[in-house]
Amino acid sequence: MIRQCAAVAILAAAAMATAAPATAGPLDTLFGSAGAGSSGSGSSDLLDAGSSALGSSSSKPQHFGKLGRPDATNGVKSINVWAYAPKTQAISPGVYPKNAQLGVRWNSTIDAGPVVDGNQCRMEVRLSGPKVPKNAQLTKTQDCTSAKTFLLRAPGSYSISVTDTISGASNSIEFDVQ
């Protein structure tokens, strides 16, 4: 059993190290998707960490989105984002039904790659799309790694950006609601 878990972890790390976290990976059928076409709450804790935390065959971790300032007090280099649909099945990759709780899951990483899992960030989560209520357009939190969902009733294209105002790091996802 331990050998099987180790093999799965190695395969997951190798597969995810080559793809940006905002896209679906080849292991989605095994663990659920951590990508933009997510069909569930994500996957195992292993995939929640994001590719930069898992490392890669090169010694330098990959960072996606707008990178943070090198002198940021919280050390955040980049933010990984995934579409988050905890109780909804995707109609197709990146397309979800209306009247569903949909949103974003994110984690922040430092320059060396490990995930920042604390409350030393100043995150702004911005939702844009058709008929977004004013109180849902901007959410603020100190959680460097977390998730946020919204009840999306109107069909159309949506975008969610996650920005750490301390480091300036940001990333975003886009998906459609039908």
Side-chain angles (χ1 to χ4, degrees):
M1 180 67 175
I2 294 174
R3 286 185 185 175
Q4 288 175 330
C5 291
V8 168
I10 290 168
L11 287 172
M16 290 187 67
T18 61
T23 60
L27 296 176
D28 291 345
T29 56
L30 291 175
F31 297 112
S33 175
S38 175
S39 61
S41 62
S43 53
S44 69
D45 289 338
L46 177 67
L47 292 181
D48 289 345
S51 65
S52 60
L54 295 172
S56 65
S57 58
S58 71
S59 60
K60 185 169 171 77
Q62 293 181 328
H63 295 281
F64 303 97
K66 179 181 176 230
L67 302 183
R69 292 183 297 281
D71 61 343
T73 57
N74 62 4
V76 171
K77 174 74 171 193
S78 65
I79 300 170
N80 301 310
V81 297
W82 299 269
Y84 182 51
K87 297 178 183 176
T88 303
Q89 291 288 348
I91 296 169
S92 62
V95 180
Y96 298 91
K98 64 182 180 177
N99 298 319
Q101 288 285 333
L102 303 169
V104 62
R105 171 180 263 168
W106 72 88
N107 68 26
S108 303
T109 60
I110 63 172
D111 195 28
V115 170
V116 179
D117 191 18
N119 62 356
Q120 59 270 42
C121 292
R122 238 183 260 137
M123 294 297 193
E124 292 185 350
V125 180
R126 294 185 184 276
L127 170 65
S128 62
K131 297 185 181 180
V132 174
K134 188 170 179 97
N135 64 347
Q137 292 175 358
L138 175 63
T139 303
K140 295 182 180 185
T141 181
Q142 292 182 339
D143 295 327
C144 297
T145 297
S146 191
K148 174 68 178 159
T149 60
F150 308 92
L151 178 59
L152 300 179
R153 297 183 188 275
S157 294
Y158 289 84
S159 175
I160 303 175
S161 67
V162 180
T163 302
D164 174 32
T165 60
I166 293 174
S167 68
S170 67
N171 208 340
S172 64
I173 57 166
E174 295 178 355
F175 55 88
D176 292 320
V177 173
Q178 292 185 347

